[in-house]
């Protein structure tokens, strides 16, 4: 594998890049990103998510299906309800990092780049 110039680490495999691109593709939808953000704060059923993200119940349900198929969220049955939760804590970390940094940038706060992202 080739190494990135000046960084000293190996490039990720094609499989890893493909999987990362698929995850980012799913999160490119503001509605799905909001759903993941909401689920990062705690479990919810589809009705609660629809109220929180301001989406129609069928649309939120379709977004959840896509996120579930991708392995980003999962569900469990609680009586007659399906309760959804994030199934990939690494995705939550990425979403929180990006949203927090964009929020801080919007307020004019200056944040140092995390050590592992410097130079990117």
């Amino acid at each position: 594998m080739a190494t990135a110039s000046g960084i000293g680490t190996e490039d990720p495999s094609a499989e890893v890049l493909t999987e990362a691109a698929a995850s980012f593709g799913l999160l490119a939808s503001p509605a799905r990103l909001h759903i993941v953000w909401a689920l990062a704060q705690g479990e919810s059923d589809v009705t609660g998510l629809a109220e929180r993200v301001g989406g129609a119940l069928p649309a939120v349900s379709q977004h959840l299906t896509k996120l579930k198929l991708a392995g980003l969220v999962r569900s469990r049955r609680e009586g007659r309800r399906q309760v959804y939760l994030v199934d990939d804590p690494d995705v939550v970390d990425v979403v929180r990092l990006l949203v927090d940094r964009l929020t801080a940038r919007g307020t004019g706060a200056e944040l140092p780049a995390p050590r592992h992202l410097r130079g990117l």
Side-chain angles (χ1 to χ4, degrees):
M1 260 190 235
T3 59
S5 175
I7 296 174
T9 60
E10 290 187 6
D11 287 346
S13 69
E15 294 81 17
V16 167
L17 290 171
T18 300
E19 188 174 338
S23 293
F24 281 122
L26 279 167
L27 295 174
S29 158
R32 285 192 291 269
L33 187 59
H34 197 172
I35 289 168
V36 171
W37 176 263
L39 290 175
Q41 313 310 310
E43 302 176 349
S44 182
D45 64 6
V46 69
T47 303
L49 283 169
E51 290 172 4
R52 180 161 180 183
V53 303
L57 201 66
V60 171
S61 183
Q62 286 179 349
H63 287 307
L64 285 166
T65 297
K66 289 179 181 182
L67 291 167
K68 194 173 173 181
L69 286 171
L72 300 179
V73 302
R74 64 184 166 95
S75 65
R76 62 179 169 74
R77 186 153 299 282
E78 227 179 55
R80 298 175 71 167
R81 323 180 303 150
Q82 283 289 106
V83 176
Y84 292 87
L85 56 148
V86 175
D87 198 28
D88 191 337
D90 293 331
V91 169
V92 171
D93 291 343
V94 170
V95 168
R96 280 191 177 145
L97 174 69
L98 182 58
V99 170
D100 288 347
R101 292 184 67 75
L102 291 173
T103 300
R105 188 181 300 162
T107 62
E110 192 64 35
L111 294 176
R115 284 191 328 264
H116 59 283
L117 293 180
R118 287 191 186 125
L120 291 181

